[in-house]
Amino acid sequence: MRVLLVEDEMLLAAQIDKYLRDDQHAVDVASDGEEGLYHGREYEYDVAIVDLGLPKLDGIDLIATLRSEEVATPVLILTARGGWRDKVAGLEAGADDYLTKPFHMEELLARLNALVRRASGYASPTLRHGGVELDTRTRSVAAYGAPVDLTAYEYRLLEYLMLNAGRVLSRTDLTERLYDQDYDRDSNVIEVLVGRLRRKIDPDGTQRPIRTVRGQGYRFEAARE
Ligand code: CA
């Protein structure tokens, strides 16, 4: 997933950034509210993490502004211990969930995953589409009755395709979600990755759950169950 992180505590921001990158997510970090607003307006994110106490523009105003401009990205707010009024104000401004500092990175990641899943219309942590089953808790995948062993990038790609089943995702979309910004966008890394994923989940090529849409990108085809 592509994550916007708005946090002015540089040490904490660096820790979250590293943890999410190590888990194969793409992260943009903004260190004040104005920079966060710029990113939130300018780019498309799967989820945003917003600290409430921020320089220049506080987190509540940042969220309220994005929501008033119809930016629907799920938002998780970070609040200080005991700041229940902040939580209420943040949720009322349009945040979707909160986490109180200090927190465990595992809990942050679990909450982000749940927000993204729900935003895609899935209530259950297991994604199922026409014979392909992906368990987001154990990160295990089965396709047409057989377990499939995927690399971290193959898993992320399949998860993103399934979360957006029926939608065409361009190579740029996929590159932005899977790799850091400075990655070479012209390379054929996504084609190679899609090819490997297809061979693993559909070895004999009969089911074809991942379709190529000529000149546009890829679409996970199977109907949602
Ligand atoms: Ca702060």
CSV table of all heavy atoms in Angstrom, one decimal, residues 171-215:
chain,number,residue,atom,x,y,z
A,171,ARG,N,0.5,0.3,-14.7
A,171,ARG,CA,1.8,-0.1,-14.2
A,171,ARG,C,2.3,1.0,-13.3
A,171,ARG,O,3.0,0.6,-12.3
A,171,ARG,CB,2.8,-0.3,-15.4
A,171,ARG,CG,2.5,-1.5,-16.2
A,171,ARG,CD,3.4,-1.6,-17.5
A,171,ARG,NE,3.0,-2.8,-18.2
A,171,ARG,CZ,2.0,-2.9,-19.0
A,171,ARG,NH1,1.2,-1.8,-19.2
A,171,ARG,NH2,1.7,-4.0,-19.7
A,172,THR,N,2.0,2.2,-13.6
A,172,THR,CA,2.5,3.3,-12.7
A,172,THR,C,1.8,3.1,-11.3
A,172,THR,O,2.5,3.3,-10.3
A,172,THR,CB,2.1,4.7,-13.3
A,172,THR,OG1,2.6,4.7,-14.6
A,172,THR,CG2,2.7,5.8,-12.5
A,173,ASP,N,0.5,2.9,-11.3
A,173,ASP,CA,-0.2,2.6,-10.0
A,173,ASP,C,0.5,1.6,-9.2
A,173,ASP,O,0.8,1.7,-8.0
A,173,ASP,CB,-1.6,2.0,-10.3
A,173,ASP,CG,-2.7,3.0,-10.5
A,173,ASP,OD1,-2.5,4.2,-10.0
A,173,ASP,OD2,-3.7,2.7,-11.1
A,174,LEU,N,0.8,0.5,-9.9
A,174,LEU,CA,1.4,-0.7,-9.2
A,174,LEU,C,2.8,-0.4,-8.7
A,174,LEU,O,3.2,-0.7,-7.6
A,174,LEU,CB,1.3,-1.9,-10.1
A,174,LEU,CG,-0.1,-2.4,-10.4
A,174,LEU,CD1,-0.1,-3.5,-11.5
A,174,LEU,CD2,-0.8,-3.0,-9.2
A,175,THR,N,3.6,0.3,-9.6
A,175,THR,CA,4.9,0.6,-9.2
A,175,THR,C,4.9,1.5,-8.0
A,175,THR,O,5.7,1.3,-7.0
A,175,THR,CB,5.7,1.3,-10.4
A,175,THR,OG1,5.5,0.5,-11.5
A,175,THR,CG2,7.1,1.5,-10.1
A,176,GLU,N,4.0,2.5,-8.0
A,176,GLU,CA,4.0,3.4,-6.8
A,176,GLU,C,3.6,2.8,-5.5
A,176,GLU,O,4.0,3.2,-4.5
A,176,GLU,CB,3.0,4.6,-7.1
A,176,GLU,CG,3.5,5.6,-8.1
A,176,GLU,CD,2.5,6.7,-8.3
A,176,GLU,OE1,1.4,6.6,-7.8
A,176,GLU,OE2,2.8,7.6,-9.1
A,177,ARG,N,2.8,1.7,-5.6
A,177,ARG,CA,2.3,1.1,-4.4
A,177,ARG,C,3.4,0.1,-3.9
A,177,ARG,O,3.4,-0.2,-2.7
A,177,ARG,CB,1.0,0.3,-4.6
A,177,ARG,CG,-0.2,1.0,-4.0
A,177,ARG,CD,-0.8,1.9,-5.0
A,177,ARG,NE,-1.8,2.7,-4.4
A,177,ARG,CZ,-2.3,3.8,-5.0
A,177,ARG,NH1,-1.8,4.2,-6.2
A,177,ARG,NH2,-3.2,4.5,-4.5
A,178,LEU,N,4.2,-0.4,-4.8
A,178,LEU,CA,5.1,-1.5,-4.4
A,178,LEU,C,6.5,-1.0,-4.1
A,178,LEU,O,7.2,-1.7,-3.4
A,178,LEU,CB,5.1,-2.6,-5.4
A,178,LEU,CG,3.8,-3.4,-5.6
A,178,LEU,CD1,3.9,-4.3,-6.8
A,178,LEU,CD2,3.6,-4.3,-4.3
A,179,TYR,N,6.9,0.0,-4.8
A,179,TYR,CA,8.3,0.5,-4.7
A,179,TYR,C,8.4,1.9,-4.3
A,179,TYR,O,7.4,2.7,-4.4
A,179,TYR,CB,9.0,0.3,-6.1
A,179,TYR,CG,9.0,-1.2,-6.5
A,179,TYR,CD1,8.0,-1.6,-7.4
A,179,TYR,CD2,9.9,-2.1,-6.0
A,179,TYR,CE1,8.0,-2.9,-7.8
A,179,TYR,CE2,9.8,-3.4,-6.4
A,179,TYR,CZ,8.9,-3.8,-7.3
A,179,TYR,OH,8.9,-5.1,-7.7
A,180,ASP,N,9.6,2.3,-3.8
A,180,ASP,CA,9.8,3.7,-3.4
A,180,ASP,C,9.8,4.6,-4.6
A,180,ASP,O,10.0,4.2,-5.7
A,180,ASP,CB,11.1,3.8,-2.7
A,180,ASP,CG,11.0,3.2,-1.3
A,180,ASP,OD1,9.9,3.1,-0.8
A,180,ASP,OD2,12.0,2.7,-0.7
A,181,GLN,N,9.5,5.9,-4.3
A,181,GLN,CA,9.4,6.9,-5.3
A,181,GLN,C,10.5,7.0,-6.3
A,181,GLN,O,10.2,7.3,-7.5
A,181,GLN,CB,9.3,8.3,-4.6
A,181,GLN,CG,7.9,8.7,-4.4
A,181,GLN,CD,7.9,10.0,-3.6
A,181,GLN,OE1,8.8,10.3,-2.8
A,181,GLN,NE2,6.9,10.9,-3.8
A,182,ASP,N,11.7,6.8,-5.8
A,182,ASP,CA,12.8,7.0,-6.7
A,182,ASP,C,13.1,5.8,-7.7
A,182,ASP,O,14.1,5.8,-8.4
A,182,ASP,CB,14.1,7.3,-5.9
A,182,ASP,CG,14.3,6.3,-4.8
A,182,ASP,OD1,13.5,5.4,-4.6
A,182,ASP,OD2,15.3,6.5,-4.0
A,183,TYR,N,12.2,4.8,-7.6
A,183,TYR,CA,12.3,3.6,-8.4
A,183,TYR,C,12.2,4.0,-9.9
A,183,TYR,O,11.4,4.9,-10.3
A,183,TYR,CB,11.3,2.6,-8.0
A,183,TYR,CG,11.8,1.2,-8.4
A,183,TYR,CD1,12.6,0.5,-7.5
A,183,TYR,CD2,11.5,0.6,-9.6
A,183,TYR,CE1,13.0,-0.8,-7.8
A,183,TYR,CE2,11.9,-0.7,-9.9
A,183,TYR,CZ,12.7,-1.3,-9.0
A,183,TYR,OH,13.2,-2.6,-9.3
A,184,ASP,N,12.9,3.3,-10.8
A,184,ASP,CA,12.9,3.6,-12.2
A,184,ASP,C,11.5,3.1,-12.8
A,184,ASP,O,11.3,2.0,-12.9
A,184,ASP,CB,14.0,2.9,-12.9
A,184,ASP,CG,14.0,3.1,-14.4
A,184,ASP,OD1,13.2,3.9,-14.9
A,184,ASP,OD2,14.7,2.4,-15.1
A,185,ARG,N,10.7,4.1,-13.1
A,185,ARG,CA,9.3,3.7,-13.6
A,185,ARG,C,9.3,3.1,-15.0
A,185,ARG,O,8.3,2.6,-15.4
A,185,ARG,CB,8.5,5.0,-13.6
A,185,ARG,CG,8.4,5.7,-12.3
A,185,ARG,CD,7.1,5.6,-11.6
A,185,ARG,NE,7.1,6.0,-10.3
A,185,ARG,CZ,6.5,7.1,-9.8
A,185,ARG,NH1,5.8,7.9,-10.7
A,185,ARG,NH2,6.6,7.5,-8.6
A,186,ASP,N,10.4,3.3,-15.7
A,186,ASP,CA,10.4,2.8,-17.1
A,186,ASP,C,10.8,1.4,-17.2
A,186,ASP,O,10.6,0.8,-18.2
A,186,ASP,CB,11.3,3.7,-18.0
A,186,ASP,CG,10.9,5.1,-18.1
A,186,ASP,OD1,9.6,5.3,-18.0
A,186,ASP,OD2,11.7,6.0,-18.2
A,187,SER,N,11.3,0.8,-16.1
A,187,SER,CA,11.7,-0.5,-16.2
A,187,SER,C,10.5,-1.5,-16.3
A,187,SER,O,9.4,-1.1,-16.0
A,187,SER,CB,12.5,-0.9,-14.9
A,187,SER,OG,11.7,-1.1,-13.8
A,188,ASN,N,10.8,-2.7,-16.7
A,188,ASN,CA,9.6,-3.6,-16.9
A,188,ASN,C,9.4,-4.5,-15.6
A,188,ASN,O,8.9,-5.6,-15.7
A,188,ASN,CB,9.9,-4.5,-18.1
A,188,ASN,CG,11.1,-5.4,-18.0
A,188,ASN,OD1,11.9,-5.2,-17.1
A,188,ASN,ND2,11.2,-6.4,-18.9
A,189,VAL,N,9.8,-4.0,-14.5
A,189,VAL,CA,9.8,-4.8,-13.3
A,189,VAL,C,8.4,-5.3,-12.9
A,189,VAL,O,8.2,-6.4,-12.5
A,189,VAL,CB,10.4,-4.0,-12.1
A,189,VAL,CG1,9.6,-2.7,-11.8
A,189,VAL,CG2,10.5,-4.8,-10.8
A,190,ILE,N,7.3,-4.5,-13.2
A,190,ILE,CA,6.0,-4.9,-13.0
A,190,ILE,C,5.5,-6.0,-13.9
A,190,ILE,O,4.9,-7.0,-13.5
A,190,ILE,CB,5.0,-3.7,-13.1
A,190,ILE,CG1,5.2,-2.7,-11.9
A,190,ILE,CG2,3.5,-4.2,-13.0
A,190,ILE,CD1,4.9,-3.3,-10.5
A,191,GLU,N,5.9,-5.9,-15.2
A,191,GLU,CA,5.6,-7.0,-16.1
A,191,GLU,C,6.2,-8.3,-15.7
A,191,GLU,O,5.5,-9.4,-15.7
A,191,GLU,CB,6.1,-6.7,-17.5
A,191,GLU,CG,5.2,-5.8,-18.3
A,191,GLU,CD,5.8,-4.4,-18.3
A,191,GLU,OE1,6.1,-3.9,-17.3
A,191,GLU,OE2,5.8,-3.8,-19.4
A,192,VAL,N,7.4,-8.3,-15.2
A,192,VAL,CA,8.1,-9.5,-14.8
A,192,VAL,C,7.5,-10.0,-13.6
A,192,VAL,O,7.2,-11.3,-13.4
A,192,VAL,CB,9.6,-9.1,-14.5
A,192,VAL,CG1,10.3,-10.3,-13.9
A,192,VAL,CG2,10.3,-8.7,-15.8
A,193,LEU,N,7.1,-9.2,-12.6
A,193,LEU,CA,6.5,-9.6,-11.4
A,193,LEU,C,5.1,-10.2,-11.7
A,193,LEU,O,4.7,-11.2,-11.1
A,193,LEU,CB,6.3,-8.4,-10.5
A,193,LEU,CG,6.0,-8.6,-9.0
A,193,LEU,CD1,7.0,-9.5,-8.3
A,193,LEU,CD2,5.9,-7.3,-8.3
A,194,VAL,N,4.3,-9.6,-12.5
A,194,VAL,CA,3.0,-10.1,-12.9
A,194,VAL,C,3.2,-11.5,-13.5
A,194,VAL,O,2.4,-12.4,-13.2
A,194,VAL,CB,2.2,-9.1,-13.8
A,194,VAL,CG1,1.0,-9.8,-14.4
A,194,VAL,CG2,1.8,-7.9,-13.1
A,195,GLY,N,4.2,-11.6,-14.4
A,195,GLY,CA,4.4,-12.9,-15.1
A,195,GLY,C,4.7,-14.0,-14.1
A,195,GLY,O,4.1,-15.1,-14.2
A,196,ARG,N,5.5,-13.7,-13.1
A,196,ARG,CA,5.9,-14.7,-12.1
A,196,ARG,C,4.7,-15.1,-11.2
A,196,ARG,O,4.4,-16.2,-10.9
A,196,ARG,CB,7.0,-14.2,-11.2
A,196,ARG,CG,8.4,-14.2,-11.8
A,196,ARG,CD,9.4,-14.4,-10.7
A,196,ARG,NE,9.2,-13.5,-9.5
A,196,ARG,CZ,9.9,-12.4,-9.3
A,196,ARG,NH1,10.8,-12.0,-10.2
A,196,ARG,NH2,9.6,-11.6,-8.3
A,197,LEU,N,3.9,-14.0,-10.9
A,197,LEU,CA,2.7,-14.3,-10.0
A,197,LEU,C,1.7,-15.1,-10.8
A,197,LEU,O,1.1,-16.1,-10.2
A,197,LEU,CB,2.1,-12.9,-9.6
A,197,LEU,CG,0.8,-13.0,-8.8
A,197,LEU,CD1,1.0,-13.7,-7.5
A,197,LEU,CD2,0.3,-11.6,-8.5
A,198,ARG,N,1.5,-14.8,-12.1
A,198,ARG,CA,0.5,-15.6,-12.9
A,198,ARG,C,1.0,-17.1,-12.9
A,198,ARG,O,0.1,-18.0,-12.8
A,198,ARG,CB,0.5,-15.1,-14.3
A,198,ARG,CG,-0.4,-13.9,-14.5
A,198,ARG,CD,-0.3,-13.4,-15.9
A,198,ARG,NE,-1.3,-12.4,-16.2
A,198,ARG,CZ,-1.1,-11.5,-17.1
A,198,ARG,NH1,0.0,-11.4,-17.8
A,198,ARG,NH2,-2.1,-10.6,-17.4
A,199,ARG,N,2.2,-17.3,-13.1
A,199,ARG,CA,2.7,-18.7,-13.2
A,199,ARG,C,2.5,-19.5,-11.9
A,199,ARG,O,2.3,-20.7,-11.9
A,199,ARG,CB,4.2,-18.8,-13.7
A,199,ARG,CG,4.3,-18.5,-15.2
A,199,ARG,CD,5.7,-18.8,-15.7
A,199,ARG,NE,6.8,-17.9,-15.1
A,199,ARG,CZ,7.0,-16.7,-15.5
A,199,ARG,NH1,6.3,-16.2,-16.6
A,199,ARG,NH2,8.0,-15.9,-15.0
A,200,LYS,N,2.6,-18.7,-10.8
A,200,LYS,CA,2.4,-19.4,-9.5
A,200,LYS,C,1.0,-19.7,-9.2
A,200,LYS,O,0.7,-20.8,-8.7
A,200,LYS,CB,3.1,-18.6,-8.4
A,200,LYS,CG,4.6,-18.6,-8.4
A,200,LYS,CD,5.1,-18.0,-7.1
A,200,LYS,CE,6.7,-18.1,-7.1
A,200,LYS,NZ,7.2,-17.5,-5.9
A,201,ILE,N,0.1,-18.7,-9.4
A,201,ILE,CA,-1.3,-19.0,-9.0
A,201,ILE,C,-2.1,-19.7,-10.1
A,201,ILE,O,-3.1,-20.3,-9.8
A,201,ILE,CB,-2.0,-17.7,-8.6
A,201,ILE,CG1,-2.1,-16.7,-9.7
A,201,ILE,CG2,-1.4,-17.1,-7.4
A,201,ILE,CD1,-3.0,-15.4,-9.3
A,202,ASP,N,-1.6,-19.7,-11.3
A,202,ASP,CA,-2.4,-20.3,-12.4
A,202,ASP,C,-1.4,-21.0,-13.4
A,202,ASP,O,-1.2,-20.6,-14.5
A,202,ASP,CB,-3.2,-19.2,-13.1
A,202,ASP,CG,-4.0,-19.8,-14.2
A,202,ASP,OD1,-4.4,-20.9,-14.2
A,202,ASP,OD2,-4.3,-19.0,-15.2
A,203,PRO,N,-0.7,-22.1,-12.9
A,203,PRO,CA,0.4,-22.7,-13.6
A,203,PRO,C,0.1,-23.1,-15.0
A,203,PRO,O,0.9,-23.0,-15.9
A,203,PRO,CB,0.9,-23.8,-12.7
A,203,PRO,CG,0.2,-23.7,-11.4
A,203,PRO,CD,-1.0,-22.8,-11.6
A,204,ASP,N,-1.1,-23.6,-15.2
A,204,ASP,CA,-1.4,-24.1,-16.6
A,204,ASP,C,-2.1,-23.1,-17.4
A,204,ASP,O,-2.5,-23.3,-18.6
A,204,ASP,CB,-2.2,-25.4,-16.5
A,204,ASP,CG,-3.4,-25.4,-15.6
A,204,ASP,OD1,-3.8,-24.2,-15.2
A,204,ASP,OD2,-4.1,-26.4,-15.4
A,205,GLY,N,-2.3,-21.9,-16.9
A,205,GLY,CA,-2.8,-20.7,-17.6
A,205,GLY,C,-4.3,-20.9,-18.1
A,205,GLY,O,-4.7,-20.3,-19.0
A,206,THR,N,-5.1,-21.7,-17.3
A,206,THR,CA,-6.5,-21.9,-17.8
A,206,THR,C,-7.4,-20.9,-17.1
A,206,THR,O,-8.5,-20.6,-17.6
A,206,THR,CB,-6.9,-23.3,-17.4
A,206,THR,OG1,-6.6,-23.6,-16.1
A,206,THR,CG2,-6.2,-24.3,-18.3
A,207,GLN,N,-7.1,-20.4,-15.9
A,207,GLN,CA,-8.0,-19.6,-15.1
A,207,GLN,C,-7.9,-18.1,-15.4
A,207,GLN,O,-8.9,-17.4,-15.4
A,207,GLN,CB,-7.8,-19.8,-13.6
A,207,GLN,CG,-7.9,-21.3,-13.1
A,207,GLN,CD,-9.3,-21.8,-13.1
A,207,GLN,OE1,-10.2,-21.1,-13.2
A,207,GLN,NE2,-9.4,-23.1,-13.0
A,208,ARG,N,-6.7,-17.7,-15.7
A,208,ARG,CA,-6.4,-16.3,-16.0
A,208,ARG,C,-7.1,-15.3,-15.1
A,208,ARG,O,-7.8,-14.4,-15.6
A,208,ARG,CB,-6.7,-16.1,-17.5
A,208,ARG,CG,-6.0,-17.0,-18.4
A,208,ARG,CD,-6.4,-16.8,-19.9
A,208,ARG,NE,-6.0,-15.5,-20.3
A,208,ARG,CZ,-6.8,-14.7,-21.0
A,208,ARG,NH1,-8.0,-15.1,-21.3
A,208,ARG,NH2,-6.4,-13.5,-21.4
A,209,PRO,N,-6.8,-15.3,-13.8
A,209,PRO,CA,-7.5,-14.3,-13.0
A,209,PRO,C,-6.9,-12.9,-13.2
A,209,PRO,O,-7.6,-11.9,-12.9
A,209,PRO,CB,-7.2,-14.8,-11.6
A,209,PRO,CG,-5.9,-15.7,-11.7
A,209,PRO,CD,-6.0,-16.3,-13.1
A,210,ILE,N,-5.7,-12.8,-13.6
A,210,ILE,CA,-5.1,-11.4,-13.8
A,210,ILE,C,-5.0,-11.2,-15.3
A,210,ILE,O,-4.3,-11.8,-16.1
A,210,ILE,CB,-3.6,-11.4,-13.2
A,210,ILE,CG1,-3.7,-11.7,-11.7
A,210,ILE,CG2,-3.1,-10.0,-13.4
A,210,ILE,CD1,-2.3,-12.0,-11.2
A,211,ARG,N,-5.9,-10.2,-15.7
A,211,ARG,CA,-6.0,-9.9,-17.2
A,211,ARG,C,-5.1,-8.7,-17.5
A,211,ARG,O,-5.0,-7.8,-16.7
A,211,ARG,CB,-7.4,-9.6,-17.5
A,211,ARG,CG,-8.4,-10.7,-17.3
A,211,ARG,CD,-8.1,-11.9,-18.2
A,211,ARG,NE,-8.9,-13.0,-17.9
A,211,ARG,CZ,-10.1,-13.3,-18.4
A,211,ARG,NH1,-10.6,-12.5,-19.4
A,211,ARG,NH2,-10.8,-14.4,-18.1
A,212,THR,N,-4.5,-8.7,-18.7
A,212,THR,CA,-3.8,-7.6,-19.2
A,212,THR,C,-4.8,-6.7,-20.0
A,212,THR,O,-5.5,-7.3,-20.9
A,212,THR,CB,-2.7,-8.0,-20.1
A,212,THR,OG1,-1.8,-8.8,-19.4
A,212,THR,CG2,-1.9,-6.8,-20.6
A,213,VAL,N,-4.9,-5.5,-19.6
A,213,VAL,CA,-5.8,-4.6,-20.4
A,213,VAL,C,-4.9,-3.7,-21.3
A,213,VAL,O,-4.1,-2.9,-20.8
A,213,VAL,CB,-6.6,-3.7,-19.5
A,213,VAL,CG1,-7.6,-2.8,-20.3
A,213,VAL,CG2,-7.4,-4.5,-18.5
A,214,ARG,N,-4.9,-4.0,-22.6
A,214,ARG,CA,-3.9,-3.4,-23.5
A,214,ARG,C,-3.8,-1.9,-23.4
A,214,ARG,O,-4.8,-1.2,-23.4
A,214,ARG,CB,-4.3,-3.8,-24.9
A,214,ARG,CG,-3.2,-3.5,-25.9
A,214,ARG,CD,-3.7,-3.7,-27.3
A,214,ARG,NE,-3.8,-5.2,-27.6
A,214,ARG,CZ,-2.9,-5.8,-28.3
A,214,ARG,NH1,-1.9,-5.2,-28.8
A,214,ARG,NH2,-3.1,-7.1,-28.6
A,215,GLY,N,-2.5,-1.5,-23.2
A,215,GLY,CA,-2.3,0.0,-23.1
A,215,GLY,C,-2.7,0.6,-21.8
A,215,GLY,O,-2.5,1.8,-21.6
